[in-house]
Each structure stands twice: as structure tokens, then as C-alpha cells.
Amino acid sequence: MRAAIGTIVSDSALAVQVAGRGRIGSIDEGFIAALAPGEAFIFGGERLELVGIRSMVVYAKRATKKTTRTVHWPGNKLPITGTLGHALRRTLDEAAAGRRDCPELVAAAPILDEQARLSAVPRADTLLAEVVETAEGHHLYLFPFEGRKVHEGLGALIALRVGRLHPATFTIAADDHGLELLHPEALPWPDLLVSALFTADNLVDDIVASVHISELMRRRFRDIARVAGFINPGNPWEQKSARQVQASSSLLYDVFTRYDPENPLLSQARREVIEQHFDQSRLAEALARLRGARVVLTRPSHPTPLGIPLRESRLTRNVATTESVAQRVARMRRGRR
Amino acid sequence: MGASVEFRAEGLPLPPGELDDDLARLDRLVAATGARTVRVLGDLVQGAVKAATEARVAEWRASLPAALELVPGNHDRHQATLPAAWGVTMLPALVHEGPFAFSHAPTAVPSAFVWAGHVHPTATLSGRADRLRFPAFVVVPGLGLLPAFSRFTGGATIRASPGLQRFLCVEGEVVALELTE
């Protein structure tokens, strides 16, 4: 059992208790919170079925059903580096050209073939864009392979620049391979995905504005409020859930932004967001590459192997909007009639 | 009232401003409605009243052209220490008036419609690929729940359910989530 009692911020881990066997380990809260009772997952090499979660203990039993859901750990959330992203793009490029000379590419072949059939496999000199409509809304998937943090920043930047022309609300998800912009109404992506979208002009101003329209700072603020002593995560024997901590940090964030927008804690959150998600040199480099890339836009009938992880896991979700609250309310009310 | 003052007394430097904001909104509501009485359904203060809150509310109270009443709730157990200068009339835990009854915690009263606080309901307006959460009035047969008056109060999210109506407080406008008959 791992419990955070100090100032160092980490995700909470929950103890896993299996009927008849006691506690067999601990599990990342973010992973298990996404499962419903009755769903199965793979833990320590065996299949378990979630029975329920009570006071920070996960109750599970041996599962009979099959699953491929494997626990993830905070280490999975470390973004890939620029170098690794480059290598990934190169390998995919070779795979697209038919290379199958190593076990990994042979194993990945069915997935790559399905990706090629539904959409396209990204090449080194292209930017793959997939436009998909589902019951959820309109999705744009982009696969720059620049790492999750850069993609989160890039997503907010695209939301800002597109949102200026077409006021909209975007839900942005990102992983190491790409990003997803989910939006309620159709957008003319072929006209929007041009090199001007990736320009380095006014980049500094646009980064500040992107932070402003998105929730990246609100999320970052949670850890800052925790370190500053505003949020008590609870004692090890009565830990609060991440959801409770998030709720109080969100209220605090609102109080600060409304009554003390110049507060150093907010500046700290802004600085950390800009450092992490808008790393100037990496973002500028990525934008330069995207400006030079040939956009390959496909319209798959449903999300592709590259897009599914973004749609399903939603490791991070961030809303960025260039609409007012009144506009969003009016749009949603229209949709209800 | 004065939650940020409480935080500061605990050594957490929350910015001031929310108390002034709440009082100014109350003033505007009293002026707009011509209300003769402001009746608070519990949760008026969170702990012992700090000096800064006491003085500010006393100053506001002096110019309030209405009576101020409190139906006590679980956070008001320090009610004996409510400052005299606030001129708060303490009511019983359940107050009957015409077809209505007023209580802090939700309760059922035969042949009366109960207004209650305590829950601080919020509800989510969701559409395709978007959602927003707002404080909400919630009405079920015989009972109405008021949203928290203070802007920065966390609350329970109330989901749709048969026989339940939710009214969102959206920037000065009320939006009905369920179609009323």
C-alpha cells in the first residue's frame, strides 16, 4: 500500500484486495476509476474482475471473462522525447513502405494494415489528419508523434487559432502519438489545416492566449495548491479520492482567478503549463516540421487503430473554448429541442 | 459568509472579495424584488465568526432595508455566538408559512411545500461534445432545493430522474433542464 503523506505530489494508489487472498498490491487510481464493477483487468499477470471500490480499497475477484485491459502506471504517462518521436515517425514511414524485417513490425502488421485500410499510415513527410463523425460529435485526429505534452499544447494552440475564425468549444485529448479535437459542429478542416495554422508568427502571444482559453492551468493548479498547503489530501488511513481533491482545487482556482488574478500561485501554474506544454524550442521545431508537411486528410467511417487509444483512454482531457458561456448554453439548448 | 476569512484565520491566504461579492448580490436582489425579509436556510457561517467578517457583515446589515432571519442548519451550531450587530432573528429548525415550510435539511411535511438548502445542488447542461455545470434549483413533489448562494461552494450534482425538475442558474438567467408541464 502506497500512501502520500507529504508535500511531494503524486497520483494516489489504491490497495487491491482479492477475495480469499487479502491485499495483493496497489493500483493507479486513475486507471481503476475508469472501470465499472464487473469489468475485468489484468493485474500482476492475472485476470481480475472489479467488484467495487470502497474507502480507497479496490475489491476484486478472479475473473472468468477475457480482457486485454492492463493496468497502467505513472511511468506510462511520461511523454516520449523528440528523438524517440523522430524514430517512431521513421519506423512508421518504413513500415508504410512495406518493411517487415523485425519481430515488432511483424507483430504490428495487422494493426498497420487495418490503419492503411481505414485511413493511411503516416509517412515521414506527411501529417496524417483523420476527420470522423460519431454520435459524440466531430473528431479531428492529428498524428505528429511529438509526445503527449507537446500535443496538449499544440491542441490548445490549434483550438485558439481555429476558434478565432470559427468560435467553438473543443475537447482535447492527447497521447504520445497524436491528439484529438472533439467539437460539436462540423468545421471545414481541409481549409483550416494549412501551413498558416502552424505559423511561428505571434507564437508567444498565441501561447499565452491558448493557456487562457484552455483548462491546462486549472489542472496544473491542483498540484500547486497542494504544495502551497491549500489542499489536505487526507491522512493515509482516510485518503480523499482524486475526485474530491480535484473539486476543492477547482473551487480554489476559481476564487483566485476571480479575486486575485495576479496571485503568484496562478503565475506559477501559468509558468509550469508554458514550460511543460509549450516548450518553446520543441513546439517551434514541431510547428516548422508541420508547416512543411503534406497534409493527408482521410475520412474514416470510424476511429482507426491510431485514433482509438485517443478516443478510448482519454488519459487527459482538456476543454478549450473561444465561445462565451452564453453561446455554449444556447448551442446546447438548441440541441436538446 | 466569509469562508475566505476562515481560510486566512487557518493560515491559508485566500484572497478576500467573495464576502463583498455575496453581500452586493444580496443588496441587488433585495432592491430588485423589494423583499421585506431575507430568510437564510442554514449554513450562514461555517464556524466561529471572525472579527473581519463580523465587522463587514454588521456594516452591511445596518443598511439592509429588510429583516434577516435564519433557519439554523448543521454549520450554524455556533448560532449562540452570532454577533448581535447582525440583527439575525433565529427561527426554529422548521418554519411554516402559508403553503410553504422552510428547513435547512430536506424533509417532508404533509400538506406543505418545503424549501430547503443543505444539498447545494448543481446540474450539468450537456450537448453534443460539450457540457457545463451550474448551480441549480431542484424541484420534486413537495420539496424544492435552493442552490448555494455563495459562488464558491461545492455542491452535489443532481442527475435527471423521473418527477424531478432542474433549473440552472446561468449568468443571471434561469434555464429549465426539464420541460415543465
Side-chain angles (χ1 to χ4, degrees), chain B:
Chain B
M1 282 186 180
S4 67
V5 178
E6 304 296 321
F7 271 99
R8 278 197 297 283
E10 301 284 321
L12 296 174
L14 219 58
E18 123 277 353
L19 177 59
D20 286 346
D21 211 23
D22 288 345
L23 296 177
R25 281 193 300 139
L26 267 173
D27 280 339
R28 284 201 298 275
L29 281 171
V30 169
T33 58
R36 281 167 293 149
T37 304
V38 174
R39 182 174 293 165
V40 180
L41 300 185
D43 293 344
L44 181 61
V45 293
Q46 221 161 29
V49 177
K50 300 290 183 297
T53 309
E54 175 171 350
R56 179 67 190 91
V57 176
E59 178 199 336
W60 163 80
R61 176 68 180 98
S63 62
L64 182 73
L68 186 57
E69 299 176 348
L70 175 64
V71 177
N74 51 337
H75 283 299
D76 305 295
R77 46 182 178 266
H78 301 276
Q79 48 177 279
T81 63
L82 270 190
W86 288 14
V88 176
T89 307
M90 293 300 295
L91 300 179
L94 186 68
V95 177
H96 291 269
E97 190 172 319
F100 299 114
F102 298 87
S103 159
H104 169 64
T107 180
V109 175
S111 74
F113 184 91
V114 181
W115 285 108
H118 188 59
V119 178
H120 308 153
T122 65
T124 305
L125 175 65
S126 54
R128 213 176 178 204
D130 198 8
R131 53 198 286 122
L132 281 169
R133 197 163 75 111
F134 296 99
F137 290 87
V138 171
V139 175
V140 293
L143 176 67
L145 299 173
L146 304 179
F149 186 79
S150 203
R151 220 185 282 267
F152 301 109
T153 309
T157 307
I158 308 293
R159 292 175 208 288
S161 163
L164 179 145
Q165 290 172 34
R166 298 166 300 166
F167 302 88
L168 304 177
C169 305
V170 181
E171 298 188 331
E173 205 191 325
V174 173
V175 173
L177 267 187
E178 278 78 27
L179 294 174
T180 46
E181 285 150 38

Side-chain angles (χ1 to χ4, degrees), chain A residues 151-266:
Chain A
H151 290 157
E152 286 183 331
L154 191 60
L157 185 66
I158 294 173
L160 173 83
R161 289 177 170 175
V162 170
R164 276 183 184 145
L165 305 171
H166 305 271
T169 297
F170 298 93
T171 305
I172 304 163
D175 66 10
D176 282 334
H177 299 162
L179 56 129
E180 175 197 37
L181 272 76
L182 171 65
H183 46 100
E185 281 154 3
L187 286 168
W189 286 114
D191 304 336
L192 295 168
L193 291 171
V194 291
S195 65
L197 182 62
F198 306 113
T199 180
D201 298 347
N202 298 320
L203 186 55
V204 174
D205 289 346
D206 281 0
I207 286 174
V208 173
S210 304
V211 174
H212 185 72
I213 64 156
S214 73
E215 286 177 329
L216 291 168
M217 247 176 91
R218 178 184 295 272
R219 215 174 61 209
R220 197 67 218 132
F221 185 75
R222 180 180 65 175
D223 291 351
I224 288 162
R226 166 91 183 271
V227 173
F230 276 100
I231 294 165
N232 176 3
N235 296 314
W237 57 90
E238 46 181 14
Q239 295 252 311
K240 287 179 192 159
S241 71
R243 209 188 156 93
Q244 285 169 302
V245 169
Q246 184 64 59
S248 44
S249 112
S250 199
L251 282 177
L252 287 169
Y253 180 80
D254 289 337
V255 171
F256 277 106
T257 46
R258 186 171 180 94
Y259 297 118
D260 193 10
E262 303 300 317
N263 191 286
L265 295 178
L266 292 179

Side-chain angles (χ1 to χ4, degrees), chain A residues 61-126:
Chain A
K61 62 181 185 190
R62 192 168 301 217
T64 45
K65 54 185 105 174
K66 282 196 174 166
T67 180
T68 53
R69 258 185 214 258
T70 309
V71 284
H72 62 62
W73 297 96
N76 297 138
K77 297 180 196 164
L78 286 175
I80 59 171
T81 60
T83 316
L84 187 53
H86 180 77
L88 255 171
R89 286 194 299 274
R90 198 189 52 216
T91 307
L92 275 171
D93 187 70
E94 291 166 2
R99 182 182 155 193
R100 298 286 188 273
D101 59 354
C102 64
E104 290 83 358
L105 282 176
V106 171
I111 299 174
L112 292 169
D113 293 346
E114 181 67 2
Q115 175 69 31
R117 193 181 67 79
L118 283 169
S119 166
V121 176
R123 304 299 300 251
D125 61 343
T126 64

